[in-house]
Amino acid sequence: MTRSVYVTGIDRGDGRQVVELGVMELLTRQVDRVGVFRPLVHDGPDRLFELLRSRYRLSQDPATVYGMDYQEASALQAEQGTDELVSALVDRFHLVARDYDVVLVLGTDFADTQFPDELSMNARLANEFGASVVPVVGGRKQTAESVLAETVNAFRAYDGLGCDVLAMVTNRVAREDRDEIAERLANRLPVPCWVVPDEPALSAPTVSQIAHALGARVVLGDDSGLARDALDFVFGGAMLPNLLGALTPGCLVITPGDRADLVIGSLAAHSAGTPPIAGLLLTLDEVPGEGILTLAARLAPGTPVLSVTGNSFPTAEQLFSLEGKLNASTPRKAETALGLFERYVDTAELSSRVSAPSSDRVTPMMFEHKLLEQARSDLRRVVLPEGTEERVLHAAEVLLRRGVCELTLLGPVEQIRKKAADLGIDLEGAELTDPAVSELRDSFAEKYAELRAHKGVTVELAYDVVSDVNYFGTLMVQEGFADGMVSGSVHSTAATIRPAFEIIKTKPDASIVSSVFFMCLADKVLAYGDCAVNPDPDAEQLADIAIQSAATAARFGVEPRIAMLSYSTGTSGSGADVDKVREATELVRARRPDLRIEGPIQYDAAVEPSVAATKLPDSEVAGQASVLIFPDLNTGNNTYKAVQRSAGAIAVGPVLQGLRKPVNDLSRGALVQDIVNTVAITAIQAQQSPTEKVSDQ
């Protein structure tokens, strides 16, 4: 039977979209077929479902998501009674439930409805659906005592109506009251109750949402700038020095459009990062001349400048009534919401209480979720040498908001801050370091000269070398100032990993450094090695790659079944290339008899059971291989790219293996999510790496 989770509330304004998004995240970690059902819906687009559909790549037909709209439901209830209404909604729910392993039910929103007892309606629907309930209580602008009473009463209400209450979430409480409320609720209820503080960035409208609500014209700005959150409003009418003193981080400056001095002054402050602003809103339908706008665009590229026809007072009235919403066009808010949920909700306990049916399939999304969850379980610090690169900054914001790891970004600090400000990126919590002026530069130069003395490297020469971001980052890892490094989005593979070869070096049990890609197919994850480092490994090296790749696969939840690939299967072929693979297979068997391995074997026999049944019917690997070892770089690199493009697979990597401490390389075409995944992998590798400094010997 399909297991369903019903997220509901007791009143409007509880911010339960954070909980709905968080529960969806948990469900998609456990199963790959998650349905969504909203019993009652208002007219107009359903912002939350559109967010869920885009973020989790849902294939569900939107027409099946909704039971009926409130007007239809109210009419049916009035004409035929509540039982008929409930019966109709149950029928529509089961049309969804039959096609999915688990269903997330989005309860009614208590806004502009005509149901006299909406709480009872949600409780009854949950019971009829056979769904467990997660009630959400809103605590915004309430005292701690009031929040405590409402939470206890909400549990009693749903429990008293026969609901299976999984857990309670008290949301949007004042940050200063959060710990007290959590402590006092800890033993008051028979189910877990998690307390989540209010997060201003979630209720803050984006500049784009403001522009839409006011019907404003976008004079300057790009999509990244329009996605910024307006955390505050500052009205400018005074002299420039007074305005500058009133600016706050993330504020939207509202000023008459003929005040060019305030426009340029605000953008200059943003450019200097003192403070970064969300943008400007010009009133009275006045816009500065072309020369001023050209200067403004150069001062703060991408920063939005909007224009409205009204004056400041009616504009202010509209602004103060706006509230940010989670939707498909606000992915950064979604990351903030998930980070908040994962920080304050015990997701492991909630997952166990949901008890969704386990899935034998591992989808790309499930694999990515597992990476982030595993990295969060034991925080490590990862250094990102490419601190001024836009994709890296966007990835850093996601990693920080989700609490995946601690970060150090390298580069000129003011340049990083300015770039982040121009992109509207919040780097709070990240450490920014400029290798050129760092107090570590002298000691790093001495260390590098010591390590490379046999190559004639002097301290003077080393002083110049360690100013390079990749060398500096690698030395941070070597000396314990960071646990791992990720680079390569704008640097070559050689520039990324050469410092690691020179400074960190290989593990005692590894003869070479190699790599794997995790290939996330529609229903499983395979490990491909080596597709990035070694051009033509000999039999000894190929055996080492296989053993390393099996260990890496196991570390990330892929049960290793090794296929040593060749153009021949079993004893059907001969020649130097096949003999190399055959010798490597025997070496692995001798060194690691516990590993399941087959080789030489062709790709189709390795992964396709029907082919394996013909070519190697008695093999415990053929047809179900999970770790595929290619005989050379040419074959491996071309194969992974062919599968990535033709099969629509997500390739995560390359993940370097064999180094004493983790350093990983990015493709120069890496997307933001690729960087996030690679950093998470690096943090996980660091969890199992020794923390002491590596010996010089």
Side-chain angles (χ1 to χ4, degrees):
M1 179 178 178
T2 300
R3 181 66 186 267
S4 304
V5 180
Y6 197 118
V7 181
T8 183
I10 62 171
D11 202 352
R12 64 182 305 180
D14 52 27
R16 90 184 69 142
Q17 294 85 357
V18 171
V19 180
E20 291 166 333
L21 184 63
V23 172
M24 186 67 170
E25 183 87 1
L26 290 184
L27 295 177
T28 54
R29 290 177 191 173
Q30 297 177 267
V31 296
D32 67 313
R33 296 190 307 146
V34 181
V36 178
F37 185 70
R38 190 187 289 281
L40 298 171
V41 65
H42 292 284
D43 290 335
D46 186 335
R47 290 185 296 265
L48 183 67
F49 174 68
E50 290 305 316
L51 170 61
L52 298 178
R53 183 165 66 161
S54 64
R55 183 177 183 86
Y56 298 104
R57 301 187 281 275
L58 303 182
S59 58
Q60 183 178 352
D61 181 355
T64 68
V65 172
Y66 311 111
M68 61 183 72
D69 62 44
Y70 279 97
Q71 186 175 358
E72 179 187 0
S74 182
L76 179 59
Q77 184 183 43
E79 293 172 9
Q80 301 185 40
T82 301
D83 288 348
E84 286 299 318
L85 170 61
V86 171
S87 177
L89 293 174
V90 169
D91 288 344
R92 297 182 190 188
F93 166 78
H94 283 297
L95 290 176
V96 176
R98 69 185 183 186
D99 293 328
Y100 295 92
D101 299 319
V102 64
V103 178
L104 172 63
V105 184
L106 312 175
T108 67
D109 58 11
F110 293 85
D112 303 319
T113 65
Q114 299 178 18
F115 294 101
D117 190 350
E118 205 161 340
L119 189 152
S120 294
M121 173 63 75
N122 281 291
R124 180 169 179 187
L125 289 175
N127 291 336
E128 297 290 352
F129 296 167
S132 297
V133 178
V134 179
V136 182
V137 176
R140 196 177 194 198
K141 297 181 180 179
Q142 293 190 49
T143 65
E145 290 296 336
S146 175
V147 171
L148 285 164
E150 283 206 0
T151 302
V152 172
N153 288 337
F155 169 78
R156 289 174 177 167
Y158 280 103
D159 183 62
L161 290 168
C163 294
D164 172 28
V165 180
L166 279 180
M168 300 289 299
V169 178
T170 303
N171 192 31
R172 304 186 81 177
V173 304
R175 283 192 173 270
E176 61 270 22
D177 294 336
R178 187 262 160 201
D179 291 347
E180 177 193 348
I181 294 171
E183 183 178 346
R184 293 176 64 182
L185 280 172
N187 299 312
R188 292 281 297 273
L189 300 175
V191 298
C193 182
W194 294 298
V195 182
V196 181
D198 196 24
E199 173 52 62
L202 287 177
S203 56
T206 65
V207 179
S208 177
Q209 289 171 336
I210 289 171
H212 178 75
L214 300 183
R217 176 165 59 97
V218 180
V219 179
L220 292 175
D222 57 21
D223 290 342
S224 180
L226 289 167
R228 297 177 192 174
D229 296 321
L231 301 176
D232 191 12
F233 301 119
V234 174
F235 291 83
M239 299 299 291
L240 179 59
N242 294 326
L243 174 67
L244 293 179
L247 296 180
T248 58
C251 70
L252 182 71
V253 179
I254 297 95
T255 182
D258 58 2
R259 291 295 304 272
D261 58 329
L262 302 186
V263 172
I264 295 301
S266 299
L267 294 175
H270 171 85
S271 180
T274 54
I277 64 173
L280 289 111
L281 176 61
L282 309 181
T283 59
L284 302 176
D285 205 20
E286 291 279 350
V287 176
E290 191 65 32
I292 296 295
L293 290 178
T294 300
L295 177 58
R298 290 178 179 175
L299 267 175
T303 297
V305 177
L306 312 179
S307 174
V308 294
T309 57
N311 62 36
S312 296
F313 183 74
T315 300
E317 283 189 311
Q318 289 179 277
L319 287 174
F320 287 123
S321 66
L322 287 178
E323 186 167 327
K325 300 291 184 184
L326 287 171
N327 57 46
S329 66
T330 58
R332 291 171 59 204
K333 283 189 185 296
E335 298 295 348
T336 299
L338 285 171
L340 198 66
F341 183 84
E342 290 159 346
R343 179 176 178 184
Y344 292 101
V345 172
D346 186 336
T347 54
E349 182 175 2
L350 182 55
S351 292
S352 68
R353 295 179 71 85
V354 170
S355 300
S358 60
S359 173
D360 293 331
R361 301 176 64 194
V362 179
T363 67
M365 188 173 298
M366 292 166 70
F367 183 71
E368 290 174 352
H369 289 335
K370 186 173 182 179
L371 290 181
L372 301 189
E373 187 174 24
Q374 194 171 344
R376 265 194 303 269
S377 68
D378 184 9
L379 289 185
R380 289 291 187 264
R381 178 171 292 276
V382 178
V383 58
L384 305 177
E386 298 160 327
T388 58
E389 164 60 29
E390 181 173 333
R391 289 166 295 160
V392 170
L393 288 170
H394 280 297
E397 184 178 41
V398 173
L399 291 160
L400 291 168
R401 290 190 179 204
R402 299 292 299 276
V404 175
C405 62
E406 297 175 335
L407 290 178
T408 297
L409 279 70
L410 300 185
V413 172
E414 291 307 315
Q415 190 176 338
I416 294 173
R417 285 178 176 155
K418 183 178 186 303
K419 184 77 170 181
D422 288 341
L423 295 170
I425 287 173
D426 179 9
L427 293 178
E428 183 181 357
E431 179 185 84
L432 309 182
T433 299
D434 184 353
V437 298
S438 171
E439 60 184 18
L440 296 173
R441 186 174 177 182
D442 288 335
S443 63
F444 280 3
E446 293 174 3
K447 183 67 178 180
Y448 183 70
E450 180 185 341
L451 289 169
R452 304 295 288 173
H454 64 289
K455 294 291 186 180
V457 175
T458 63
V459 173
E460 291 75 15
L461 177 59
Y463 188 77
D464 290 333
V465 171
V466 301
S467 66
D468 176 90
V469 290
N470 284 314
Y471 275 92
F472 192 91
T474 303
L475 281 158
M476 287 188 71
V477 176
Q478 163 75 5
E479 294 298 287
F481 293 98
D483 301 299
M485 184 181 94
V486 174
S487 188
S489 68
V490 292
H491 290 96
S492 68
T493 295
T496 298
I497 65 177
R498 184 187 297 115
F501 291 163
E502 295 178 2
I503 296 166
I504 293 176
K505 304 176 183 177
T506 58
K507 295 178 180 178
D509 59 349
S511 64
I512 57 172
V513 172
S514 61
S515 73
V516 294
F517 278 91
F518 286 106
M519 303 300 294
C520 303
L521 304 174
D523 59 352
K524 59 186 172 183
V525 176
L526 303 177
Y528 282 11
D530 172 13
C531 304
V533 179
N534 298 286
D536 189 17
D538 60 27
E540 289 272 354
Q541 293 171 328
L542 204 58
D544 195 41
I545 291 169
I547 292 170
Q548 290 182 34
S549 299
T552 300
R555 182 177 300 169
F556 292 97
V558 177
E559 183 182 356
R561 294 183 294 272
I562 308 168
M564 304 294 284
L565 298 176
S566 175
Y567 61 78
S568 171
T569 294
T571 59
S572 65
S574 61
D577 292 337
V578 180
D579 292 342
K580 178 180 79 168
V581 175
R582 184 175 290 114
E583 181 183 351
T585 304
E586 294 307 317
L587 287 171
V588 174
R589 286 178 174 146
R591 294 176 189 172
R592 291 290 305 277
D594 57 306
L595 292 176
R596 288 182 287 177
I597 186 169
E598 188 66 67
I601 186 172
Q602 292 161 289
Y603 191 100
D604 58 349
V607 300
E608 177 51 53
S610 62
V611 177
T614 301
K615 294 188 174 183
L616 287 173
D618 299 323
S619 173
E620 62 178 350
V621 171
Q624 52 182 341
S626 59
V627 178
L628 296 106
I629 306 301
F630 294 90
D632 54 61
L633 184 62
N634 182 54
T635 306
N637 192 268
N638 278 296
T639 302
Y640 108 76
K641 288 181 177 177
V643 172
Q644 180 185 31
R645 300 302 177 186
S646 61
I650 295 175
V652 179
V655 179
L656 298 186
Q657 50 195 15
L659 289 168
R660 297 188 188 216
K661 293 188 176 183
V663 171
N664 281 312
D665 180 37
L666 296 165
S667 162
R668 273 171 279 182
L671 303 176
V672 171
Q673 190 60 45
D674 298 331
I675 299 172
V676 170
N677 290 339
T678 304
V679 172
I681 283 175
T682 306
I684 295 166
Q685 288 178 306
Q687 291 170 354
Q688 301 183 12
S689 295
T691 56
E692 70 274 7
K693 295 180 183 180
V694 177
S695 168
D696 299 344
Q697 301 303 317

